[in-house]
Amino acid sequence: MKRPVLRRTTACLGAVAAVAALAVTGCSPGPGGGPAPAAAGKARELTYAEDLRVSDAEQRLIVRCMARQGFRYWSDSPLSLAESRPLGYVQDDVGWARTYGYGSRIAAKEDRARLRNPNIAYRTALPADRRAAYDTALDGGRATELLRTQVPGGGAVSKRSGGCDAAAERALYGDPATWFRLDSAASNLRPLYVGRLLRDRRFTAAVHAWADCMKRAGHPYPDPGAARQAARDHPAVRSRAAEARGFAAEVRIAVADATCARAVSLRTVGQAREAHYLALLDARYGSRLDAYRRLRQQALARAERIVPART
């Protein structure tokens, strides 16, 4: 039985998993802030704002469903649209970096919301029989159907599918089993090409150009991951003054990082090389990926009738 927790959307295929589970490019809109273009005849990926709207709609549907079952449930949307922006390995938005650095204060805000999640306190306060009924209403409980599917590269994944969670997925995506199969396939493609991408001559050349730019700016880091880690290296518990100084240093590094990434077109190169390696998998996985994106478009159209866009 899964406990009620804050669930931040991470369904973003336009990203590359690095060794430290970082993404090379992250979800991003197309030119001018609009949707990223798709190949002819194929469905496009959602922007991160659209992705959030689908996630918010799923939460709203769960709230309504739980109310019909006689329980309260609080949706989780502690972040603004800007705060919810996925932070990829390449971050070239200088304005965002100037405001949020690498997002340490956003992460702290999420942590506080997670600790104060009213769903956990509400469930804990219920009598034992009502708590069991709550669990069954939310996700079907221990006796619910277990979905299983194979993933690219071998192995299998599974999840429980029942209660209001499954009902919300059904309302947005249709058959939960089909959605789980396609989502699992799309989410597990990265390991099939990430090694080649990280060794790609054009991508590594762009990273070296970024490092040269950073060195000239007074931040001698070999890659964006190292720069970000340097901003994280501090004691877990700090005074307010120490936190403020640490955040100011984080912002300086993040702004230089984004400025250099933009100067050497690191995101553009990374996305182009990712698209190249993903295309090599098209014969085997292309139809599933396109079906996944079409279900996402379907879910977005339904979400737009349920919740407003996050601001």
Side-chain angles (χ1 to χ4, degrees):
M1 156 54 205
K2 72 180 176 187
R3 298 292 181 260
V5 294
L6 288 173
R7 291 175 289 185
R8 184 178 180 187
T9 299
T10 57
C12 163
L13 197 62
V16 181
V19 176
L22 293 172
V24 170
T25 54
C27 300
S28 64
K42 292 189 175 183
R44 66 170 178 84
E45 296 174 11
L46 300 189
T47 66
Y48 84 90
E50 292 169 336
D51 187 58
L52 281 172
R53 194 165 188 178
V54 173
S55 178
D56 289 346
E58 183 176 353
Q59 288 288 293
R60 180 71 60 84
L61 289 169
I62 292 173
V63 170
R64 293 173 180 174
C65 178
M66 291 294 283
R68 290 194 296 270
Q69 301 297 318
F71 295 103
R72 297 193 66 184
Y73 189 86
W74 290 262
S75 59
D76 57 317
S77 54
L79 305 181
S80 68
L81 178 62
E83 291 171 329
S84 301
R85 176 177 178 161
L87 185 63
Y89 185 67
V90 178
Q91 204 299 96
D92 63 355
D93 187 326
V94 178
W96 195 93
R98 189 170 288 118
T99 301
Y100 301 108
Y102 284 124
S104 64
R105 288 181 171 175
I106 298 174
K109 183 177 180 179
E110 284 188 296
D111 288 342
R112 290 192 297 271
R114 194 173 295 112
L115 290 171
R116 298 168 184 169
N117 184 358
N119 293 307
I120 296 175
Y122 176 76
R123 179 186 179 276
T124 300
L126 292 172
D129 59 333
R130 289 289 288 164
R131 192 179 308 136
Y134 176 97
D135 294 345
T136 300
L138 181 59
D139 64 7
R142 296 183 182 277
T144 196
E145 178 185 10
L146 190 65
L147 300 179
R148 290 188 176 89
T149 187
Q150 300 294 312
V151 296
V157 293
S158 63
K159 77 165 187 175
R160 299 189 187 280
S161 178
C164 291
D165 278 347
E169 284 192 350
R170 188 176 296 108
L172 291 170
Y173 299 105
D175 177 47
T178 300
W179 166 243
F180 179 59
R181 176 175 58 82
L182 294 174
D183 184 42
S184 298
S187 300
N188 286 278
L189 286 178
R190 298 169 194 161
L192 301 185
Y193 63 85
V194 64
R196 285 179 292 172
L197 174 58
L198 294 177
R199 295 188 300 271
D200 182 87
R201 179 176 55 82
R202 296 180 194 175
F203 181 69
T204 56
V207 172
H208 291 155
W210 173 93
D212 289 341
C213 175
M214 286 289 283
K215 186 175 182 179
R216 292 192 297 272
H219 304 288
Y221 301 111
D223 55 58
R228 198 163 304 171
Q229 186 58 50
R232 293 194 187 107
D233 288 339
H234 55 72
V237 178
R238 297 181 291 173
S239 66
R240 288 187 178 181
E243 190 279 335
R245 290 193 298 271
F247 183 69
E250 173 187 332
V251 167
R252 285 194 296 273
I253 298 173
V255 167
D257 179 348
T259 301
C260 288
R262 185 171 290 274
V264 304
S265 301
L266 185 55
R267 176 183 292 278
T268 300
V269 173
Q271 289 177 330
R273 300 314 294 159
E274 179 187 18
H276 166 76
Y277 289 110
L278 192 57
L280 298 179
L281 301 174
D282 195 63
R284 187 169 183 181
Y285 300 109
S287 61
R288 273 179 276 181
L289 183 54
D290 190 55
Y292 162 82
R293 289 172 175 166
R294 291 187 188 282
L295 280 189
R296 296 281 288 156
Q297 290 290 331
Q298 169 186 293
L300 175 63
R302 293 170 176 172
E304 288 171 344
R305 298 193 293 269
I306 298 171
V307 292
R310 198 180 297 191
T311 57

